Amino acid sequence: QSVLTQPPSVSGAPGQMVTISCTGSSFNIGSNYDVHWYLQLPGTAPKLLIYANTNRPSGVPDRFSGSKSGISASLAITGLQAEDEAYYYCQSFDSRMNRSVLGGGTKLTVL
Amino acid sequence: EVQLVESGGGLVKPGESLRLSCTASKFTVSDALMSWVRQTPGKALEWVGHIKSRDDGGEIDYAAPVRGRFSISRDVSENTLFLQMNSLKTEDSGVYYCTAKWLYCSSSGCYKGVDYWGQGTPVTVSS
């Protein structure tokens, strides 16, 4: 069981918007530790998608955005495209475990 | 650009050993928090262990399922991170990634604390 909870799956039609939630606790997200999001395409390593809650690395389309509030964070993807179909993971630091922790991952299906 | 290249994966029998390597470029392995993360087929990413940076004391920690069997080390002269895996079990099979928590720099400045990932190396433990 992951310290950060994500829905196992989400889906949406091309062009629509989806959001992926990441719920933690007072030991991680709620303690104001930054949240990062990673994208994993099939057969590849995870790649940084959003860092420090809301920032997009160079090359990441502005269709992807992150937010954080309280003990939760969210990743929003607008204008869904077929190539967005992948697994998405959130990450933060946990003070009780004294290390970075990952969410269980969410599989995005583009219908 | 930061790059991590893993090697050493393969097919071994239960009880055997394997040593994985992760060679880094564009930073020094002792300056970063380096971790091993594995992914079993169809499952989520699982933290295996980490070694903190020299400045943070170099503390090493392991996940409970591998503690006592796996060992993490680094060689600065080779700029390489290692994962020595002993007494391997079938449930240790998966793709092993090394990660480095390092700087991400953009036009708006640098942020220390994002994970860079290697391409992964597969480990199969089977009789």
Side-chain angles (χ1 to χ4, degrees):
Chain A
Q1 199 149 354
S2 302
V3 173
L4 303 178
T5 301
Q6 298 179 234
S9 63
V10 296
S11 62
Q16 286 190 330
M17 176 177 117
V18 295
T19 59
I20 299 173
S21 61
C22 173
T23 302
S25 71
S26 59
F27 295 103
N28 39 70
I29 300 174
S31 287
N32 212 30
Y33 292 112
D34 286 336
V35 176
H36 314 301
W37 291 89
Y38 297 86
L39 153 77
Q40 186 178 33
L41 294 166
T44 68
K47 181 182 110 170
L48 184 65
L49 186 66
I50 296 285
Y51 70 97
N53 310 311
T54 60
N55 299 279
R56 282 186 307 276
S58 173
V60 174
D62 59 8
R63 302 187 296 106
F64 294 88
S65 63
S67 62
K68 190 181 94 164
S69 178
I71 63 168
S72 296
S74 290
L75 173 70
I77 310 171
T78 59
L80 267 182
Q81 299 179 6
E83 56 260 36
D84 297 334
E85 197 161 278
Y87 279 88
Y88 294 80
Y89 294 89
C90 60
Q91 180 192 53
S92 187
F93 181 84
D94 188 277
S95 59
R96 184 167 49 182
M97 304 182 80
N98 195 28
R99 62 173 176 86
S100 282
V101 289
L102 285 159
T106 298
K107 181 175 181 180
L108 168 62
T109 301
V110 181
L111 302 170
Chain B
E1 186 179 318
V2 167
Q3 193 172 20
L4 300 168
V5 179
E6 299 104 332
S7 60
L11 171 63
V12 295
K13 293 181 168 52
E16 293 186 342
S17 299
L18 208 54
R19 187 173 88 149
L20 307 183
S21 300
C22 170
T23 300
S25 56
K26 300 295 186 185
F27 73 99
T28 302
V29 292
S30 59
D31 290 339
L33 172 69
M34 304 288 298
S35 304
W36 288 97
V37 177
R38 67 185 180 187
Q39 187 168 39
T40 50
K43 291 195 173 178
L45 301 163
E46 178 189 15
W47 176 77
V48 172
H50 69 219
I51 179 169
K52 291 187 176 179
S53 69
R54 184 175 42 197
D55 285 351
D56 286 337
E59 175 189 335
I60 302 175
D61 196 12
Y62 302 95
V66 308
R67 194 171 290 130
R69 299 188 297 123
F70 289 15
S71 175
I72 294 174
S73 62
R74 63 190 173 207
D75 184 327
V76 176
S77 66
E78 297 182 14
N79 212 30
T80 299
L81 176 76
F82 300 101
L83 179 65
Q84 177 67 43
M85 304 187 293
N86 299 328
S87 304
L88 281 160
K89 305 176 181 180
T90 55
E91 53 264 39
D92 294 320
S93 296
V95 176
Y96 283 70
Y97 297 99
C98 79
T99 74
K101 200 167 289 293
W102 194 238
L103 292 166
Y104 176 78
C105 294
S106 67
S107 56
S108 28
C110 290
Y111 176 89
K112 186 170 185 180
V114 300
D115 278 345
Y116 291 86
W117 296 69
Q119 86 286 356
T121 186
V123 172
T124 304
V125 185
S126 174
S127 53

